[in-house]
Each structure stands twice: as structure tokens, then as C-alpha cells.
Amino acid sequence: MSETAAKAPGAPATSGDANRWKALVFIALAQLMVVLDATIVNIALPSAQTDLGISDGNRQWVVTAYALAFGGLLLFGGRIADLWGRKNAFVVGLIGFALASALGGAATSGAMMFGARALQGVFGALLAPAALSLLAVMFTDAKERAKAFGIYGAIAGGGGAVGFILGGVLTEYMDWRWTFFVNIPFAIVAALGAYFVIREPEGGRNRNPLDIPGVLLSTLGLVALVYAFTRAESDGWGDSVTVGMFVASAVLLIAFVVTEARVKAPLLPLRVITDRNRGGIYLSLGIAIIAMFGTFLFLTYYLQIVKGYTPIKTGFAFMPMIVGMMVGSTQIGTRLMTRLPARLLMGPGFLVAAVGMLLMTQLEIGSSYASTILPAMLLLGLGMGTAFMPAMSLATLGVEPRDAGVASAMVNTSQQVGGAIGTALLNTIAASATTSYIADHIGSATSKSQQQLVALEGQVHGYTNAIWFAVGMLVLAAVIVVTLVNAGRPDTTAVTGSGEGAEEELAIPVVAH
């Protein structure tokens, strides 16, 4: 373990970390780019589809190609960061992401676009865990780390909503291609800054040979799982290919766990996920993301289709959520993380978010933005920001520096899988409820305008049914946190490692997402 990583809680940072706050700027910039890209492309998709002649059946691959590459390669990317060094992986990831973005912006066909999105996913899977693990090994003082991860958490949580605004502006006033080209200056600035500023602590690399069977099994298993949920959304849960993908993913991931328990240098050491605190964090974050993705998805549909908002107006309508996340992350989470156990921030945070979600179940066609959506978004953002911040910090609690990359990748993996589940599952619930509502009410509609009204009412009914499910997911996340996460205040607790064989006392304060 490096001297920096192992120093006592509360001790001043070493001189080797003198540039850590400058480094945070470039790490946060890279994270903002990745998070923005997740939503900014969705806004541009209709225009890109028309220009490139992509069929309705194939347009999902603009999103799916990225999701499969990113979700399938995250664990591999985290391990590469541990092997190469996080700084090297971070810079390579940024350069690759910029080149893939340039290719996407210059796309002249659907196939070229799909390839560019897949490449973005590949380099994103290298970039994301490297960024998180850099913070984990650079910020070792509990109070400083609380501030650093408060800032990082606000960006990770609120960046997606900013993407709606930026995507709307670029698409409406410039061209959809700029939703790709905008990544290039972000990546160049972040890469140059990282190269000259970041000084990674010595001794934190994992130089063991790559676990090739683990790489293949985890990549194929995660790709099959993400694709199964994606296909379930478009083709139904009973589709033979969907069912086959779920079965294949289960077999591959079980084989992966068995392999990791037996090999000498596993891709994902089981000690990383069997710790009750880390396991509780990964599980609760994945479940909470199911609810979050549903909210972004259905509120976007509601505001644009039902209320008739433009893309830009829709983006700005999400601003209260961003404000709430920033306050929850940088003010509540940062100030209380070194004073309270994480479960006393995360549990109430998820419940506050659930109350915000509960308000959204009251949506109707004529609902007022100011009286219903605004307070719901504020509560949702406040709760999620408060919960995400300690979750990111606790996710690599007690992990040795050599495992920091793969532990960070597990957070991204849980969020990616949660997002895939959320999109497919909540869409299915909404579509089923909408179909049922329209079938029950369309008979009483005698005119075309009445039929259109029933169709809109059916859509809103579907959204609220799915949002009820999302409320349950947030409550479940809170229960998991309170039940499993038992770490004390991060500035006072020595953590018992869960390595194989002997138990090792690690006097490491909470490190990050």
C-alpha cells in the first residue's frame, strides 16, 4: 500500500498531493463530459436519424451501441487502470473519447454513427473508473475528500440534466453534430490538464497478469444482460431472443464468479464485493438508478408530448433537480459525512427522493409545473445528492490501492445495469398501464378530439404507474442501506479488510466512488 493511501485519518496531505485540487478540476471536467453525453445525444437523436436515414427499428442502436460497450467493458477498464496506472488510463480514455466523438459528429451513415457510439463506450469504460479511482487514491484526508466528492457527486448527479439543456440549445440553434463535437474541447482540456497536473501516488498499481477468462466471461455476461433489458423494452419480455440473453447472462456471470474464486489474480477480487458496506452501496445505487432513469425518461416525455415544451424549455425545467443535487451533495453530504455514519445520510436521502417521486405520481394532463413538478424535482435532487455523495465515498472503503480501479468500476457497473433495467422495466410498466387505460376508456370517446384526449390521459396514467414503482425502488434502496451499511464516521473508523485468509486492519478513511 502506498504511503499516501495508508496515512492516518485526519493527517495532512503529503507534498506529493500538492496539485490534487487542480487535478480535481480536470477529473470533474472529464466526468461532466461523460455524463453530459448520456443525455445530450438523446435530444439530438431525432435530427440525426433524419439526416442519416436511420430507420425507426435501428435508431435504438445509437443508444444501445454505447450502453453495450460501456457496460460490458467497465470491469475490464477498471482493471486496465489498475495495471497501467490511473493517470495513463485516464489520458488515453479522454483522447479516445474525443476521437470517437469526432467520428460521430462527422458520421455520414447509420453504420458510422453506431460504430462511433460503440467506440465512445469503449473509451468511456476506460475513462470512468480511472477518474473515480484517481480521486480515491489522491484525496486521503477525510474532510478534504468529503469536499472533493461533494463536488464530484454534484457533477455526476446533475450533469445528465445539464445535457438536456445543452443538447436542446445545440440542436435547435446549431446542428445535431455539435452534440458530438462539443466533447472534443472538454476532452483536450481535461487530458492536457491531467497530463501536467496529476501526480498519482506510488505503489498503487496491480501488476498481476490479466485474468483473460474473467475478462471474457464478465464482458460477455454484462453485454448479454444489458442487451437483454434493452431488447425487452422493444420486443417484449417473452421474446425468445430476450429470454435467451437473460439465460446466457446468468450462466456467464455465474461462471465468472466461480472463476474469480479460483484464479490467483482475478479480474474482480471477490473481497471487493463481499464486504457488506461495499455490497450494500453497489446494490442500493443500482436500485436507486432504476428510479432515476425512469424519472428522466417519463418527465421528458410528459413535458414535451403532454405539455408541449421545446427541448430547451424541457432542459431548463430540470434545473430545480440540478440545484437540489448540488445543495444535497456539496452542502449537506459534504458537511455531515465526517460527522455521521453513511447510512444516516443515504437512508434519509433516498427517502426524501422517494417523497419527491411520490409527488410525481399525482401528475395529470393539466398539472401545474410550479405546484407539482417543481417541488418534486427539488426534493428528488436534494435527496439523491445527499445519498450519492457518501455512497461515492464509501464505495471503495478499505480497498487497497491496487483494487481501486476495479472497485470504482463496480459502481459504474451497478449504475449502468440499473439504468438498463430502469429503462426497460419502467417503460414496460408504463406501456402496459397506458394500453389498459385506453382500452377501458376509448369506447366513451365519440369524437377525434376526445380520442386524442383519452390517448394523452392514457400516457400520463402509464407514467404515474411506472413512477409508483420507482417510489418503491427508492424505499427499497433505503432499506438496503440501513440494513447492510454499518460503517461508522469515516474520520474515526478503522476498517477491517475482507481479504482472503487473514483479516487486515486498514486505517483508511473513506475513499471514493
Side-chain angles (χ1 to χ4, degrees), residues 17-57:
D17 288 327
N19 288 326
R20 60 197 177 281
W21 290 108
K22 293 179 183 176
L24 174 63
V25 173
F26 300 113
I27 293 170
L29 187 64
Q31 173 67 11
L32 179 61
M33 179 188 72
V34 173
V35 176
L36 282 176
D37 192 71
T39 51
I40 198 172
V41 172
N42 290 340
I43 296 291
L45 184 54
S47 301
Q49 180 185 353
T50 302
D51 280 4
L52 300 179
I54 301 172
S55 68
D56 286 347

Side-chain angles (χ1 to χ4, degrees), residues 23 25 67 79 92 134 159 161 164 198 240 242 257 294 401 412 425 445 469 472:
V25 173
R79 179 65 181 84
V92 170
L134 272 172
F164 284 117
I198 290 177
S240 59
T242 301
V257 172
N412 286 282
L425 190 58
F469 185 85

